[in-house]
Amino acid sequence: MKFTLSVAMSPLDQLTGLARTAEECGFAAVALPDSLFYSEQVSAAYPYTPDGSRMWDAETPWADPLIAAATMGAVTSRLRFYTSVLKLGPRNPVLLARQLASVATLTGDRFGLGIGLGWAPEEFEWCGAPYAKRGARVDEAIEVLRLILGGGMVEYHGEFFDFDRLQMSPAPAHPVPIYVGGHTDAALRRAARVGDGWASAMMTLEELRTTIDRLAELRASFGRSEVPFEVQAVCVDRFGVSGYREQAEIGVTDAIVVPWLFDGHGFDADLRTKQDSIRRFADQVIGEF
């Protein structure tokens, strides 16, 4: 079991301090959220809350996750970073490939790309991407990213993306892993078919168990049972050493946690308070693993 620190909705001036402390305390990675903008009105329900409301408002702080990873990578040497998850649907994969190659290189290949389609039609439309056929478009985008990041002169001719021979240098020294998020069957199929792992949003242990079993079935059907595969989980009802052991038993490989929430502090708590919570979690949980 690995442990990843989520820094979602933390003030941006805390990020480097949180990264240093996470590395000192034995965390494997930092999970970086993604939000393009806050639209005053939204025409779809947020899929991960019971009533469809957003858990943040217009003043909630967000950083571009790739810039945040590069910034935190500059003050650490071992800690990994991954997006959880970046909204791939509204983005152009050719431009994104340039950014990914840069952050992977600048962090010494300590970066992983967690992706989702994106849920808000406004994010697609206002960034110039069609909301229709978003699943098929993301499938092509993943192909484009892997192709360009693999290095050398490449070309691609698909339904949504089309370009002649090009090359981006330097290419990452090692492949950038792609973790696919989402709870729908289409998302699970995508993760099983092309992903290096799957990332959950907030789920109970039993929901995770059912989903992980389904992923195993799908991976077998695609002939990928023996391929290494990460399961990154945000479990909402199992905590402490025994709770994380239960998660490991059902197949979770990476627990995403927010230690200060366990101690009753909010996302806007001050840096020292959060660092104390990180150290307490490391002593009480990570040390036992």
Side-chain angles (χ1 to χ4, degrees):
M1 170 78 79
K2 295 181 292 187
F3 292 92
T4 288
L5 178 72
S6 170
V7 295
M9 296 183 278
S10 288
L12 305 193
D13 61 0
Q14 295 181 357
L15 295 184
T16 54
L18 292 174
R20 288 192 186 100
T21 304
E23 182 166 83
E24 292 166 3
C25 290
F27 279 81
V30 165
L32 298 160
D34 180 41
S35 179
L36 293 170
F37 51 75
Y38 186 92
S39 57
E40 189 172 38
Q41 300 294 325
V42 67
S43 55
Y46 181 63
Y48 303 115
T49 57
D51 62 358
S53 63
R54 291 172 281 185
M55 299 181 297
W56 60 95
D57 60 28
E59 301 301 323
T60 302
W62 301 88
D64 180 286
L66 306 185
I67 293 174
T71 301
M72 290 187 283
V75 300
T76 55
S77 60
R78 178 192 56 80
L79 197 65
R80 293 186 59 81
F81 307 93
Y82 60 81
T83 50
S84 186
V85 290
L86 180 137
K87 298 171 182 180
L88 183 52
R91 287 176 162 91
N92 180 291
V94 178
L95 295 175
L96 181 60
R98 172 75 284 166
Q99 296 171 300
L100 293 174
S102 297
V103 72
T105 300
L106 291 171
T107 59
D109 290 298
R110 290 185 285 138
F111 182 79
L113 178 66
I115 62 99
L117 268 66
W119 60 276
E122 287 78 7
E123 288 187 323
F124 287 77
E125 294 163 7
W126 298 351
C127 289
Y131 188 67
K133 295 186 176 182
R134 57 195 178 278
R137 187 174 186 274
V138 160
D139 286 339
E140 275 200 13
I142 293 171
E143 293 179 358
V144 168
L145 290 173
R146 284 212 162 112
L147 183 67
I148 295 175
L149 293 175
M153 194 68 66
V154 299
E155 62 184 291
Y156 188 88
H157 306 286
E159 178 182 357
F160 304 96
F161 306 104
D162 190 293
F163 53 86
D164 292 328
R165 289 168 61 77
L166 60 79
Q167 180 170 338
M168 291 186 186
S169 298
H174 302 283
V176 174
I178 295 179
Y179 313 118
V180 179
H183 296 177
T184 66
D185 196 61
L188 299 182
R189 286 182 174 277
R190 183 174 293 109
R193 187 178 72 253
V194 302
D196 297 298
W198 170 74
S200 85
M202 297 162 288
M203 300 180 84
T204 66
L205 185 77
E206 289 309 311
E207 289 170 336
L208 282 167
R209 187 196 308 273
T210 299
T211 303
I212 293 168
D213 288 346
R214 175 61 175 156
L215 282 165
E217 294 172 359
L218 289 169
R219 293 180 65 229
S221 73
F222 292 120
R224 301 187 73 228
S225 293
E226 303 306 316
V227 177
F229 192 82
E230 295 282 336
V231 174
Q232 301 162 346
V234 181
C235 185
V236 299
D237 64 349
R238 293 295 191 280
F239 309 108
V241 173
S242 62
Y244 292 110
R245 285 182 175 151
E246 286 186 84
Q247 292 185 44
E249 288 168 2
I250 66 168
V252 173
T253 63
D254 188 346
I256 302 174
V257 300
V258 188
W260 44 92
L261 296 185
F262 300 149
D263 293 339
H265 307 299
F267 294 107
D268 60 349
D270 64 79
L271 176 59
R272 179 163 294 184
T273 295
K274 291 180 179 179
Q275 289 172 317
D276 288 344
S277 292
I278 291 170
R279 295 184 181 104
R280 187 175 301 110
F281 184 90
D283 289 342
Q284 296 177 356
V285 177
I286 296 178
E288 296 298 316
F289 281 79

